Amino acid sequence: MTRITEQPSLYRHLEKMSVEELTANINNEDKKVAIAIEKALPQLNKLITAIVEQLQHGGRMFYLGAGSGGRLSVLDAIELPTTYGIEKGIVNVILAGGLEHLIEAPEEKEDDTEAGWNELLKHNISPKDIVVGISASGTTPFVLSALQKCKANNITAGCIVSNPGSPIAGAAAIPVEVITGPEFVTGSTRMKCGTAQKMIFDMISTTTMIRLGRVEDNSMVNVLLINDKITDRAVKILMEKAAIKNYEEAKETLLKYGSVKKAMEAIEK
């Protein structure tokens, strides 16, 4: 395979560049990310469709990753119960080194060929579920070995990688290859690869939640009322949808039923 992610940066002598030059050049590289994702949309669409189907039939989704990509998937998953009101445990993350070590970056754990599958087994992984492996290089042992076990056990697996023809893509039923090119700092895949991963996680989770009916029109009608800011936003959504002009009346109704969606269902009865 060609390790594009490890190829030399297109820029030399970074230490001699001014702040203005550095930021302009990094920005020029970042512009390439959306174009790379656009080329991968057909495969990404297949992956999202498979995720939606598994979740509609009572399955769960598992992000499986290490390093920057794995940590970014944690950020995506932890916000979904609040934003869309889904039950915890529907979207999960298996992170090399464990979620309890999220901020410690134990990168040596990505070489563990048993831990990923063992963690999936602890969650009672089954063919009803779907696993999405995350690896910029496409070779991370933690991810590769787990996806191979998924394949052997008839568990649907996809992946997000940034090199073409990688072993992880070969182990995944639905590979998504987002080729962002050499990094600004040679081999620093927390940069363009990480940006691409974050954008793709947004696409996966948002599209999935919309397809599962967790959004109406363009509104978060199932958002959990966990603080004043979110409650205020929900009150205004309810006022618009139910044509309620009085803020306090709308807030009282919202708090009584717990979400915009439930309040609307009660109003429309």
Side-chain angles (χ1 to χ4, degrees), residues 32-252:
K32 300 175 182 180
V33 174
I35 295 172
I37 292 174
E38 183 177 11
K39 293 177 181 178
L41 283 180
Q43 280 299 104
L44 180 58
N45 294 340
K46 289 180 183 179
L47 177 58
I48 294 172
T49 298
I51 292 169
V52 172
E53 289 177 353
Q54 296 295 88
L55 269 55
Q56 283 176 330
H57 290 90
R60 300 163 297 167
M61 174 185 167
F62 290 84
Y63 284 125
L64 177 80
S68 297
R71 290 188 285 273
L72 287 169
S73 73
V74 175
L75 299 181
D76 188 58
I78 62 176
E79 294 190 358
L80 300 184
T82 297
T83 305
Y84 298 107
I86 64 168
E87 294 179 11
K88 291 183 179 180
I90 292 179
V91 178
N92 309 274
V93 178
I94 304 297
L95 179 67
L99 295 179
E100 66 273 19
H101 298 296
L102 177 64
I103 63 172
E104 297 175 12
E107 309 295 25
E108 70 279 2
K109 297 297 184 180
E110 69 180 47
D111 294 329
D112 192 326
T113 58
E114 302 294 331
W117 178 245
N118 287 339
E119 286 299 314
L120 287 171
L121 289 177
K122 289 178 184 178
H123 285 79
N124 298 313
I125 192 76
S126 80
K128 290 177 62 177
D129 304 318
I130 185 166
V131 176
V132 179
I134 307 152
S135 169
S137 68
T139 61
T140 309
F142 176 85
V143 177
L144 175 59
S145 60
L147 291 199
Q148 290 171 335
K149 291 285 181 64
C150 286
K151 187 174 183 180
N153 287 273
N154 199 32
I155 296 165
T156 303
C159 71
I160 302 164
V161 297
S162 293
N163 282 320
S166 68
I168 287 175
I174 313 172
V176 178
E177 297 176 322
V178 184
I179 314 304
T180 52
E183 295 288 2
F184 182 70
V185 175
T186 300
S188 182
T189 53
R190 59 178 286 275
M191 300 187 74
K192 285 191 297 182
C193 289
T195 300
Q197 289 161 347
K198 176 62 170 70
M199 292 172 70
I200 289 171
F201 296 149
D202 286 345
M203 289 183 178
I204 290 174
S205 58
T206 304
T207 305
T208 297
M209 292 299 110
I210 292 170
R211 297 298 296 169
L212 291 176
R214 309 308 296 180
V215 171
E216 292 181 5
D217 189 11
N218 58 9
S219 300
M220 297 183 289
V221 294
N222 290 287
V223 66
L224 297 186
L225 310 178
I226 60 171
N227 60 33
D228 291 342
K229 179 188 75 172
I230 291 177
T231 300
D232 176 68
R233 180 186 298 156
V235 170
K236 291 172 181 175
I237 293 172
L238 181 60
M239 290 176 69
E240 178 184 352
K241 290 187 173 297
I244 301 174
K245 299 192 180 197
N246 184 283
Y247 182 93
E248 293 303 323
E249 177 188 345
K251 185 175 182 179
E252 181 179 346

